[in-house]
């Protein structure tokens, strides 16, 4: 078995799989090292008990907060990464997200690239991941972007009524861009059936467009020069004597420690785990951790300020596939006046069954809602929203390594005023919304909860990129300033978290970096997929 490859990629999620997919046609030898195994296709893929109560697929890992309290991160280690469990919302960062922006709580720094650098890759990623959406209706989107390749997903009747109500409040709700393999005109033959087991579940039909279905499997099954090895956890990177080149990726598995080398090494293990890997790779040339001369590795951790707003109605709501609506009216400021700072984004969450509630949000429900039939009754009458605001990069919000190399996360919420105003605006706007039988204004109960530290789905920023090696870890091509052959392709490169889901930007940037690596490798030729 060969131990040297042209390219070694650590992690097979959205960034790692996309880099492999981009480079596969060059014929270069590519190795993907994945700590997890292949996700089984089984009945439990659609079982809310298995997924949300038993946490069958969730990582069996413990991290620690700044007080030393243990928590279990909401993350997944499988071939294809976290996107097998995501809610399929695929949105571009706003044009202004790439620029320095004044928030009420501080300044969001500018990126070393701008929207135009990612614009063609966004379009390509949307087409490849079958993003269904509509241009010209999102008030915060950049002007002049091409139409989506796939039409928007039609709202369920209950969501259509909600849309009409919000429009009556003067809002401009739009169809949330979703990556699903669905054809509205052929609902009986399309892979996606708009089921109640989408966000949070692995799709049994492989109809959700994720890293596994849209990048990893087409690449490893289509190109003989790409090798995926599962069960291989990267534990450190070793450099040559100069400290300028990664000479070996060290993994641990059932076979013990193994070493792999590549002309190019790409870390795509996730923002937290990439930072942890770099810190664990300290050596004489890099005493504070690999590529950490700026002391920024692990710092500036962000995972969005997220609040779940839940509204319960007396009557059941006709919305089995509710995650089709979003609001960006407040993205840059309050349009009603009185707050001229960014507030954030609102999107509907997926359908939650009674067992989903029991497993995910029972700690935040009123005490009279007990397991069993009460949870099921609540699920049929529930609208759930996710309010997303930008948490500002803070060097004190960071990933550290503790005793025995354990991951420790220091984090304090910031920039809260705009977020709290947005939660309040949504709560107020829901007044008077009428379900198909009863006005919610007379028969409604609402509660909300700020997502705690375990909610790592939107993690970003731990090895940010920039032009100045004194204040960043990576250069604008996501290569480590201090090493000649080390790149990053996960969300660790983000300078700011913005206020929309990060997956599409991870994919688009991996395409951009992949094209750069093609040039660096002198890979002008191409081979066809099998």
């Amino acid at each position: 078995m060969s131990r040297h490859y042209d390219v070694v990629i650590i992690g097979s999620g959205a960034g790692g799989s996309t880099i492999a997919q981009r480079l596969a046609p060059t014929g270069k030898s590519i190795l993907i090292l994945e700590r997890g195994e292949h996700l089984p296709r089984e009945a439990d893929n659609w079982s809310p008990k298995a997924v949300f109560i038993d946490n069958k697929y969730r990582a069996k890992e413990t991290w620690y907060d700044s007080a030393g309290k243990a928590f279990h991160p909401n993350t997944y280690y499988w071939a294809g990464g976290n996107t097998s469990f995501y809610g399929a919302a695929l949105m571009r960062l706003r044009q202004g997200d790439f620029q320095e922006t004044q928030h009420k709580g501080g300044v969001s720094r500018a990126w070393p690239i701008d929207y135009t650098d990612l614009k063609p890759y966004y379009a390509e990623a949307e087409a490849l991941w079958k993003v269904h959406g509509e241009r010209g209706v999102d008030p915060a989107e950049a002007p002049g972007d091409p139409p989506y390749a796939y039409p928007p997903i039609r709202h369920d009747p209950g969501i259509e009524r909600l849309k009409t109500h919000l429009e009556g409040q003067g809002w401009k709700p739009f169809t949330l861009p979703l990556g699903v393999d669905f054809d509205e005109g052929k609902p009986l033959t399309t892979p996606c059936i708009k089921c109640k087991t989408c966000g949070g579940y692995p799709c049994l039909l492989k109809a959700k467009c994720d890293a596994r279905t849209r990048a990893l499997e087409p690449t490893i099954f289509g190109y003989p020069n790409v090798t995926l090895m599962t069960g291989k956890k990267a534990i450190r990177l070793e450099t040559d004597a100069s400290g300028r080149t990664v000479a070996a990726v060290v993994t641990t598995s059932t076979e013990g420690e193994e070493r792999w080398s590549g002309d190019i090494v790409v870390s795509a293990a996730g923002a937290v785990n990439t930072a942890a890997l770099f810190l664990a790779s300290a050596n004489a040339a890099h005493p504070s951790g690999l590529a950490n001369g700026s002391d920024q590795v692990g710092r500036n951790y962000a995972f969005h300020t997220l609040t779940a707003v839940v509204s319960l109605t007396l009557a059941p709501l006709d919305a089995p596939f509710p995650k089709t609506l979003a609001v960006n009216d407040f993205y840059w400021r309050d349009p009603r006046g009185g707050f001229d700072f960014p507030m954030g984004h609102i999107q509907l969450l997926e359908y939650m069954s009674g067992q989903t509630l029991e497993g995910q949000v029972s700690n935040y429900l009123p005490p009279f809602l007990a397991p069993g039939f009460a949870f099921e009754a609540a699920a049929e009458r529930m609208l759930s929203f996710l309010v997303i605001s930008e948490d500002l990069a803070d060097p004190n919000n960071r990933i550290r390594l503790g005793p025995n190399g354990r991951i420790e996360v220091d984090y304090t919420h910031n920039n809260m005023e705009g977020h709290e105003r947005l939660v309040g605006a949504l709560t107020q706007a829901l007044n008077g919304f009428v379900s198909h039988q009863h006005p919610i204004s007379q028969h409604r109960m609402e509660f909300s909860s700020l997502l705690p530290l375990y909610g790592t789905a939107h993690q970003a920023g731990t090895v940010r990129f920039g032009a100045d090696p004194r204040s960043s870890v990576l250069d604008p091509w996501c290569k480590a300033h201090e090493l000649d052959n080390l790149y990053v392709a996960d969300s660790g490169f983000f300078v700011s978290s913005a206020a929309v889901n990060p997956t599409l930007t991870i994919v688009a940037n991996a395409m951009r970096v992949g094209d750069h690596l093609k040039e660096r490798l002198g890979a002008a030729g191409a081979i066809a997929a099998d």
Side-chain angles (χ1 to χ4, degrees), residues 341-398:
F341 300 97
M343 297 168 68
H345 165 77
I346 300 168
Q347 62 183 239
L348 274 162
L349 284 167
E350 48 275 337
Y351 179 86
M352 295 187 185
S353 71
Q355 288 181 317
T356 305
L357 291 177
E358 185 178 349
Q360 287 291 88
V361 297
S362 58
N363 291 333
Y364 310 107
L365 290 173
F368 61 82
L369 286 178
F373 73 91
F375 277 113
E376 290 298 337
E380 294 174 357
R381 293 160 171 79
M382 188 172 71
L383 269 177
S384 302
F385 300 83
L386 186 63
V387 180
I388 307 176
S389 299
E390 180 172 343
D391 50 342
L392 299 176
D394 180 346
N396 295 314
N397 287 342
R398 63 184 301 189

Side-chain angles (χ1 to χ4, degrees), residues 156-381:
D156 287 338
I159 306 306
E160 190 62 49
R161 286 192 290 274
L162 172 64
K163 177 176 179 288
T164 299
H165 170 75
L166 294 177
E167 289 172 337
Q169 304 289 306
W171 293 20
K172 299 180 179 64
F174 61 95
T175 304
L176 181 66
L178 293 176
V180 290
D181 194 355
F182 181 75
D183 186 341
E184 198 82 56
K186 301 176 181 178
L188 298 180
T189 59
T190 190
C192 176
I193 58 173
K194 292 179 70 176
C195 67
K196 295 181 178 180
T197 53
C198 189
Y201 298 83
C203 182
L204 183 61
L205 302 180
K206 292 189 175 181
K208 182 161 56 177
C209 295
D210 51 34
R212 176 177 57 153
T213 61
R214 303 311 302 166
L216 182 64
E217 291 183 350
T219 301
I220 61 174
F221 296 141
Y223 291 91
N225 55 309
V226 180
T227 301
L228 170 67
M229 291 188 182
T230 59
K232 309 286 188 185
K233 178 185 177 181
I235 57 173
R236 68 180 178 275
L237 305 176
E238 296 179 343
T239 68
D240 63 6
S242 72
R244 293 293 308 181
T245 301
V246 174
V249 178
V250 182
T251 62
T252 184
S253 68
T254 56
E255 286 77 34
E257 282 196 8
E258 298 171 292
R259 283 169 171 75
W260 316 88
S261 62
D263 296 338
I264 300 292
V265 174
V266 180
S267 183
V272 170
N273 281 299
T274 283
L277 178 63
F278 284 17
L279 293 172
S281 302
N283 60 25
H286 301 271
S288 299
L290 201 63
N292 197 25
S294 63
D295 189 33
Q296 295 301 303
V297 171
R299 294 188 183 275
N300 308 298
Y301 173 66
F303 71 113
H304 279 146
T305 301
L306 303 164
T307 290
V309 176
V310 178
S311 181
L312 291 174
T313 71
L314 182 63
L317 191 71
D318 185 8
F321 193 84
K323 191 172 181 174
T324 56
L325 191 74
V327 173
N328 269 341
D329 297 74
F330 299 84
Y331 201 88
W332 296 118
R333 62 190 57 83
D334 191 333
R336 303 167 302 182
F339 192 77
D340 198 26
F341 300 97
M343 297 168 68
H345 165 77
I346 300 168
Q347 62 183 239
L348 274 162
L349 284 167
E350 48 275 337
Y351 179 86
M352 295 187 185
S353 71
Q355 288 181 317
T356 305
L357 291 177
E358 185 178 349
Q360 287 291 88
V361 297
S362 58
N363 291 333
Y364 310 107
L365 290 173
F368 61 82
L369 286 178
F373 73 91
F375 277 113
E376 290 298 337
E380 294 174 357
R381 293 160 171 79

Side-chain angles (χ1 to χ4, degrees), residues 372-446:
F373 73 91
F375 277 113
E376 290 298 337
E380 294 174 357
R381 293 160 171 79
M382 188 172 71
L383 269 177
S384 302
F385 300 83
L386 186 63
V387 180
I388 307 176
S389 299
E390 180 172 343
D391 50 342
L392 299 176
D394 180 346
N396 295 314
N397 287 342
R398 63 184 301 189
I399 308 303
R400 294 182 291 108
L401 293 185
N404 300 316
R406 75 184 193 183
I407 292 176
E408 299 180 350
V409 183
D410 296 343
Y411 186 85
T412 301
H413 287 285
N414 62 38
N415 196 31
M416 290 297 299
E417 183 174 346
H419 181 75
E420 291 168 350
R421 284 175 175 267
L422 185 56
V423 171
L426 173 60
T427 302
Q428 182 180 9
L430 289 173
N431 290 329
F433 171 55
V434 179
S435 72
H436 70 285
Q437 292 181 18
H438 298 280
I440 293 182
S441 58
Q442 297 176 16
H443 306 285
R444 186 180 94 248
M445 156 174 76
E446 288 178 358

